[in-house]
Amino acid sequence: ISHTWFLNIIQDEFRTGKIDLDSTMKLLETLKLPFNFTHVKHVFKKTIDKRKTHMINMEDFRAIYRAIVHRAEFQELFRAYSPNNKFLADTELIQFLRKEQYETETCEMMALEIILKHEPIEEVRKRRQMSFEGFIRYMNSEDCSIFKSEHRTVYQDMNYPLCDYFISSSHNTYLISDQLIGPSDLWGYISALLKGCRCLEIDCWDGSDNEPVVYHGHTLTSKIQFSSVIQAIDKYAFVASDYPVVLSLENHCSSQQQEIMAEKLETILGDKLLTSTIGDTNITQLPSPEALKFKILVKNKKVGTIEEGMVRRDLDSHGETEEVSDIEYISDEDEIDDKAPLLPKNGSAKRKSEENPPAPPRKKTKMKKIKIALALSDLVIYTKSQKFVSFEHSLGNQKCYENNSIGETKARKFVKHSAKDFVSHTSRFITRIYPKGTRTTSSNYNPQEFWNVGCQM
């Protein structure tokens, strides 16, 4: 029966004797089976390689069909449940569903539905049986996917505060090669967004003609214009996901060019840019991803509170700046591992450490003042960058909309020695772990150990 059914479908195509690759593809589509174009092309090419023609006859097509569709593992399964190796009765299909597919509910109804849906030969379908052709169509279908179909879309509750979610993040997003001499490219942002990334990093520096530029400072990486980056983000931000995008600014610009950054963000992003709180200005917890759908948030240092910033936005703060105190609380070790993009070329450091046992890293605190243009500061709503001092300090002083960035090396020590405090911290505040500076080839750390303590970015 299968042979007759197969010939009835394909014979019209072979009235002229032979068909080419395109016709082969169309015929496979007529047979209603999923197939991989590259795989078919490869098998087709193998079939015609020994000839001078680019055409195949009916027997060739049948051989290609069998090579692609009649897989050995399917045949083995089918034979195990079909006594005559030709058909599965509905009772035999029920047995297969229970033993192999671990189905427990109403298998009788399910078996009948599978036969009606996947069996292509009408005569077999009417007898409530399944041929091998029907069986392979069922095995190749979505019904047999190992993934739950309801999980193809967002199925989690997205109404909790933002800090309750892991956020797909990128580092130095503009770099598409290495971290020292490679190109900066808009494709870094576009490809990240198309993969569903929700946190992008933008390193901003003063450029010529009053145009801020984006590149990895103090390296030989090429430069791209800040405005071009924001245009690319505007275009691709919500192609892969409706949920908010965070622009993590590493801001090295003068106050004049910070003002230009603020103006570009507002004019290019328009309504997508979050410029005020959702609901109450007295913020006791972060809004949810659901509440922030289709919004772009600026993550940067901020002058004062959200309430003060929103009052200022109603006034003209053009040209106004304020200084923000930034506590640097770092050890020598962190400076080497997390900060320095360039390493010494000679081996002197190594020889020295061999002669003398390493001294414990000296911890030091230094205060520096950073000038922030109020126009840019006031665009920061729920993602204010705050220097991390300690878990105790954050617990006593940090607001829910303030977030921390911690270097990979330091974070790893916290995971090892203060895991409970780390979990308590990330339950309240968004925490970003950035890779150490020695990862010059753009390698990634394993995020699992930081996810384990709740780090979101």
Side-chain angles (χ1 to χ4, degrees):
I1 293 175
S2 295
H3 180 66
T4 310
W5 164 83
F6 185 76
L7 287 178
N8 284 342
I9 290 177
I10 72 165
Q11 61 191 1
D12 279 359
E13 285 293 322
F14 288 94
R15 275 174 303 189
T16 55
K18 294 187 175 183
I19 61 171
D20 60 9
L21 177 61
D22 282 346
S23 298
T24 300
M25 294 291 180
K26 282 174 189 162
L27 201 44
L28 286 168
E29 283 171 12
T30 306
L31 288 158
K32 293 180 179 168
L33 262 168
F35 60 85
N36 180 285
F37 175 81
T38 311
H39 185 203
V40 176
K41 193 176 175 182
H42 172 72
V43 178
F44 187 93
K45 191 172 181 297
K46 273 181 78 175
T47 307
I48 62 166
D49 262 355
K50 294 168 188 173
R51 309 171 195 168
K52 291 185 178 175
T53 176
H54 288 286
M55 311 281 274
I56 59 165
N57 60 30
M58 194 185 285
E59 276 310 303
D60 293 331
F61 178 80
R62 195 169 176 208
I64 289 170
Y65 178 80
R66 291 181 74 85
I68 291 165
V69 176
H70 288 213
R71 283 160 47 184
E73 65 270 31
F74 287 166
Q75 287 175 333
E76 193 180 319
L77 264 176
F78 188 76
R79 287 192 192 111
Y81 290 90
S82 170
N84 60 7
N85 288 344
K86 289 181 181 175
F87 305 105
L88 285 173
D90 55 356
T91 52
E92 288 147 7
L93 181 57
I94 288 164
Q95 196 184 1
F96 167 80
L97 291 171
R98 285 193 174 131
K99 281 194 176 178
E100 304 290 343
Q101 306 294 69
Y102 297 98
E103 295 289 356
T104 54
E105 297 170 20
T106 58
C107 283
E108 291 81 2
M109 186 63 74
M110 188 182 285
L112 187 57
E113 284 172 3
I114 289 168
I115 289 168
L116 292 172
K117 185 175 178 181
H118 298 290
E119 177 52 56
I121 306 168
E122 192 178 352
E123 190 182 330
V124 178
R125 203 164 55 235
K126 282 178 179 173
R127 295 202 306 252
R128 292 192 171 195
Q129 290 179 330
M130 181 172 260
S131 67
F132 183 60
E133 292 294 339
F135 184 72
I136 53 184
R137 277 160 180 74
Y138 165 62
M139 293 301 286
N140 276 310
S141 73
E142 283 292 313
D143 294 348
C144 283
S145 172
I146 61 167
F147 299 108
K148 294 181 179 179
S149 57
E150 62 268 28
H151 289 188
R152 287 185 180 278
T153 54
V154 176
Y155 61 94
Q156 299 94 338
D157 186 347
M158 302 302 283
N159 291 294
Y160 290 98
L162 202 58
C163 57
D164 283 15
Y165 299 85
F166 295 123
I167 300 167
S168 179
S169 306
S170 57
H171 179 68
N172 291 354
T173 319
Y174 48 90
L175 294 178
I176 57 168
S177 182
D178 63 87
Q179 303 284 305
L180 297 180
I181 58 171
S184 301
D185 200 288
L186 293 178
W187 178 245
Y189 291 97
I190 295 166
S191 64
L193 288 167
L194 292 177
K195 290 171 189 167
C197 187
R198 299 288 88 191
C199 177
L200 310 171
E201 189 177 32
I202 311 176
D203 286 14
C204 311
W205 298 79
D206 281 357
S208 54
D209 301 325
N210 238 6
E211 278 286 336
V213 291
V214 174
Y215 84 110
H216 199 192
H218 311 302
T219 69
L220 300 175
T221 56
S222 61
K223 298 171 182 176
I224 46 179
Q225 283 197 336
F226 177 78
S227 56
S228 303
V229 169
I230 304 306
Q231 282 164 355
I233 291 167
D234 177 56
K235 188 173 179 182
Y236 292 96
F238 303 109
V239 172
S241 169
D242 300 347
Y243 291 107
V245 172
V246 177
L247 306 185
S248 182
L249 302 184
E250 193 173 294
N251 181 7
H252 304 275
C253 288
S254 62
S255 51
Q256 291 88 345
Q257 295 211 13
Q258 286 182 43
E259 287 226 339
I260 290 161
M261 284 165 59
E263 188 246 324
K264 300 285 184 194
L265 286 163
E266 292 197 77
T267 53
I268 296 168
L269 298 177
D271 290 343
K272 293 189 186 103
L273 185 67
L274 188 78
T275 56
S276 63
T277 55
I278 295 167
D280 198 353
T281 51
N282 181 26
I283 298 152
T284 53
Q285 68 172 30
L286 289 171
S288 68
E290 198 65 36
L292 291 168
K293 265 186 171 181
F294 302 109
K295 287 296 179 185
I296 295 174
L297 285 69
V298 175
K299 183 165 98 64
N300 189 57
K301 292 207 168 7
K302 182 176 180 67
V303 176
T305 64
I306 292 179
E307 295 90 331
E308 288 164 357
M310 285 175 67
V311 169
R312 266 197 308 263
R313 276 187 64 78
D314 294 331
L315 311 168
D316 183 15
S317 57
H318 182 73
E320 290 185 41
T321 63
E322 277 197 34
E323 285 189 336
V324 175
S325 295
D326 194 21
I327 303 168
E328 289 263 26
Y329 184 64
I330 48 178
S331 67
D332 293 348
E333 187 181 16
D334 285 324
E335 282 182 336
I336 294 166
D337 283 353
D338 290 328
K339 304 292 178 193
L342 295 170
L343 298 171
K345 287 182 180 174
N346 58 43
S348 59
K350 187 179 179 185
R351 284 197 298 275
K352 191 175 178 185
S353 68
E354 285 165 356
E355 289 165 16
N356 306 307
R362 298 190 315 278
K363 289 189 174 177
K364 55 188 177 186
T365 306
K366 63 178 179 181
M367 188 77 78
K368 61 176 182 179
K369 298 278 186 182
I370 300 170
K371 271 192 176 179
I372 304 281
L374 293 185
L376 182 61
S377 165
D378 294 344
L379 295 181
V380 177
I381 306 296
Y382 294 117
T383 40
K384 176 184 176 181
S385 298
Q386 191 67 30
K387 189 76 183 175
F388 179 77
V389 178
S390 68
F391 294 131
E392 295 76 23
H393 184 271
S394 292
L395 196 57
N397 301 280
Q398 201 162 308
K399 294 181 172 67
C400 66
Y401 57 82
E402 295 177 331
N403 50 68
N404 309 119
S405 288
I406 305 173
E408 163 192 357
T409 309
K410 188 184 278 188
R412 199 166 279 121
K413 287 175 185 168
F414 289 149
V415 170
K416 194 174 178 182
H417 302 295
S418 316
K420 262 180 105 170
D421 291 335
F422 214 154
V423 171
S424 176
H425 180 83
T426 56
S427 69
R428 294 173 172 84
F429 313 112
I430 291 176
T431 305
R432 171 179 168 268
I433 309 300
Y434 60 89
K436 57 188 176 183
T438 49
R439 292 185 178 274
T440 55
T441 58
S442 299
S443 62
N444 288 319
Y445 57 74
N446 177 5
Q448 187 64 57
E449 58 188 319
F450 304 123
W451 285 338
N452 289 347
V453 291
C455 296
Q456 296 89 341
M457 290 180 175

